[in-house]
Amino acid sequence: MQANSAAAQSSGRPSLSVDEAQKAILEAVSPIDGWIKVPVRDALGRVLAEDLVAPFNVPAHDNSAMDGYALRAMDLAAQGDSRLAVVGSAFAGVPFSGLVGKGQAVRIMTGAVLPRGADCIVVQELARAEGAEVIIPPGQRLGQNIRRAGEDLAQGAVALPLGKRLGAAELGLIASLGIAEVKVYRRLRVAFFSTGDEIASIGSPLAPGQIYDSNRYILFGVLRQLDCELLDMGVIPDQPAALEGALLDAAASADVILTSGGVSVGEADFIKALLLKLGDVAFWKINIKPGRPMAFGKIGNTLLFGLPGNPVAVMVTYYQFVLDALLALMGVTPLPERPLLEAECTGRIRKLPGRREFIRASLQRGGEGWKVVPTGAQGSGVLRSMSEANCFIVLPEASADIEAGAVVKVQLFEGFA
Ligand code: AMP
Ligand code: MG
């Protein structure tokens, strides 16, 4: 698989660009098998596993786009006003049952079915009612203000394509078609655990030198937003037997395994040996900061991401490498665009050329447009600056120091879900 060819690029720890790593990952994933039928409300956030076809025209009938009068365009004089007899009314849900004949008009409301015989709607602001008659000025066009049957969606057309992730608009559209149940992909099963002898779970007291586990809570948070089935396997100590057991358990029950920690240079060796024994895994050194080391591959059919240990690096690598892979596994197609905006940076940023850097920052209104403010200490363990941020400043590989006032590229967190 791709992970291996990446591994084969050079011995030991190949260095990959962010783009190369993203490409290799996406080439290694395809949608999971398995779907279920769910009621429309339960489909929120799920991914459509079929093309949803319109069972009828939307709108179902020709109808009025305005409040006004329905009439026959040919009855109107080319010059000067025309006087028509008002013979009835049509409301949304209560159609006019007769025929609009020569010299006649029907009072009509928005959404009401176009009465038989009528071919033109004149908005009420232009018309003048006079007793049982209405006076229409010249200049009206055949077909004006009429919404045609099937204009939004023709019967038999694909209303929503396979691979669409269903949000509020899609739920509304499905309901408008009278469809009560849809076929969606089953939930993705994701197992995750933290590694490290120094990592303690909340609830247990900290021994000297220990720290509390953040990463499992970060992963819980991002995976919940994707509506995955979660398998939280806790903290696993840096012991080969414990790690082997955890990895085998996870591989037996999950589609994806996310681990954190244990992939940096100093620690990687025994994990590397273990992962190579259990599966087909490459250890990457990616030109990214934070988050340079990462393992990627498969144990059996289960995809494995060995993320770095630092909490901010976990978030950066999750957003840049894991999220789209999970979406692709969930069946989402096409994958969402991740726009890069431009904004003026308010502060100086130190950078050495070489890696693509992701700086936590806050995009704010400033003067004419937008400005972006780095949110304090950028150490890869500093979660507070992540929490204060609403975006990353993305500094390209070749970039050196950024001076205050420079225009930089910005990637918003909004949409990372
Ligand atoms: P490692 O890659 O295992 O060497 O971890 C790198 C750094 O991240 C070390 O300072 C770890 O203590 C820290 N770290 C690893 N895992 C976690 C975690 N689950 N929560 C908070 N910090 C962690
Ligand atoms: Mg560790």
Side-chain angles (χ1 to χ4, degrees):
M1 63 177 283
Q2 198 63 27
N4 247 5
S5 61
Q9 282 178 9
S10 73
S11 60
R13 296 163 66 85
S15 198
L16 288 183
S17 71
V18 173
D19 297 335
E20 285 169 330
Q22 285 171 338
K23 185 161 175 281
I25 289 167
L26 290 181
E27 277 170 4
V29 301
S30 49
I32 50 173
D33 285 331
W35 52 268
I36 55 164
K37 276 221 156 196
V38 294
V40 60
R41 284 192 185 87
D42 295 347
L44 184 65
R46 307 289 294 264
V47 182
L48 206 54
E50 61 179 343
D51 279 339
L52 206 77
V53 168
F56 48 73
N57 280 327
V58 180
H61 309 279
D62 292 355
N63 68 89
S64 179
M66 297 295 221
D67 290 347
Y69 291 86
L71 45 82
R72 308 181 338 152
M74 61 161 66
D75 294 348
L76 301 178
Q79 323 269 304
D81 290 348
S82 305
R83 183 175 283 270
L84 303 174
V86 179
V87 295
S89 37
F91 297 93
V94 188
F96 175 72
S97 54
L99 180 75
V100 179
K102 185 169 165 48
Q104 296 183 333
V106 162
R107 179 95 176 92
I108 194 164
M109 299 301 156
T110 305
V113 173
L114 184 72
R116 276 186 309 129
D119 56 19
C120 172
I121 309 280
V122 177
V123 294
Q124 62 187 11
E125 290 80 358
L126 294 179
R128 207 167 74 243
E130 242 176 43
E133 293 179 332
V134 62
I135 294 155
I136 306 290
Q140 313 303 325
R141 279 178 299 103
L142 180 76
Q144 73 184 18
N145 300 318
I146 296 171
R147 292 193 292 226
R148 294 293 173 191
E151 190 176 278
D152 293 354
L153 207 52
Q155 179 178 9
V158 174
L160 290 170
L162 176 136
K164 180 84 179 168
R165 191 149 171 239
L166 303 174
E170 288 74 28
L171 259 48
L173 177 53
I174 294 166
S176 77
L177 297 174
I179 295 172
E181 285 194 321
V182 291
K183 206 166 136 180
V184 295
Y185 283 97
R186 70 165 171 82
R187 285 203 169 88
L188 195 66
R189 285 191 285 271
V190 185
F192 57 103
F193 58 83
S194 298
T195 68
D197 292 335
E198 80 284 22
I199 309 298
S201 287
I202 48 178
S204 59
L206 288 180
Q210 281 197 314
I211 57 171
Y212 282 121
D213 186 357
S214 310
N215 294 345
R216 266 163 57 230
Y217 297 86
I218 292 171
L219 292 176
F220 170 86
V222 289
L223 294 170
R224 248 304 167 77
Q225 288 173 14
L226 287 188
D227 200 17
C228 296
E229 234 174 78
L230 304 185
L231 230 83
D232 182 344
M233 300 179 66
V235 179
I236 310 295
D238 290 317
Q239 291 160 14
L243 279 166
E244 178 166 356
L247 286 166
L248 289 175
D249 279 356
S253 44
D255 302 300
V256 183
I257 308 171
L258 303 181
T259 68
S260 68
V263 292
S264 53
V265 180
E267 283 196 309
D269 287 352
F270 80 92
I271 293 190
K272 185 170 180 177
L274 179 61
L275 286 174
L276 292 178
K277 177 177 119 186
L278 297 181
D280 180 7
V281 178
F283 276 71
W284 285 340
K285 198 171 98 188
I286 305 173
N287 291 335
I288 187 172
K289 187 181 176 184
R292 188 202 300 250
M294 198 176 90
F296 173 71
K298 278 187 175 171
I299 297 180
N301 281 325
T302 301
L303 213 60
L304 173 106
F305 290 88
L307 305 181
N310 273 310
V312 176
V314 167
M315 293 204 80
V316 169
T317 50
Y318 176 83
Y319 286 149
Q320 303 306 323
F321 303 115
V322 183
L323 173 59
D324 278 356
L326 296 183
L327 290 173
L329 279 165
M330 287 163 61
V332 173
T333 178
L335 290 173
E337 293 287 339
R338 310 258 176 233
L340 277 183
L341 315 177
E342 287 192 336
E344 190 180 304
C345 184
T346 59
R348 180 159 198 261
I349 305 172
R350 304 209 53 124
K351 182 182 182 298
L352 293 172
R355 293 199 263 167
R356 189 178 299 181
E357 293 196 16
F358 291 82
I359 311 291
R360 282 91 83 193
S362 163
L363 190 65
Q364 303 171 1
R365 244 184 213 296
E368 297 285 280
W370 291 82
K371 60 180 181 167
V372 64
V373 187
T375 53
Q378 296 288 326
S380 55
V382 184
L383 266 182
R384 192 167 56 86
S385 52
M386 186 83 209
S387 157
E388 287 165 0
N390 63 10
C391 66
F392 290 124
I393 295 172
V394 185
L395 300 179
E397 289 76 353
S399 161
D401 289 354
I402 297 295
E403 301 305 329
V407 172
V408 291
K409 295 266 199 284
V410 168
Q411 192 175 52
L412 279 175
F413 296 162
E414 195 61 46
F416 267 147

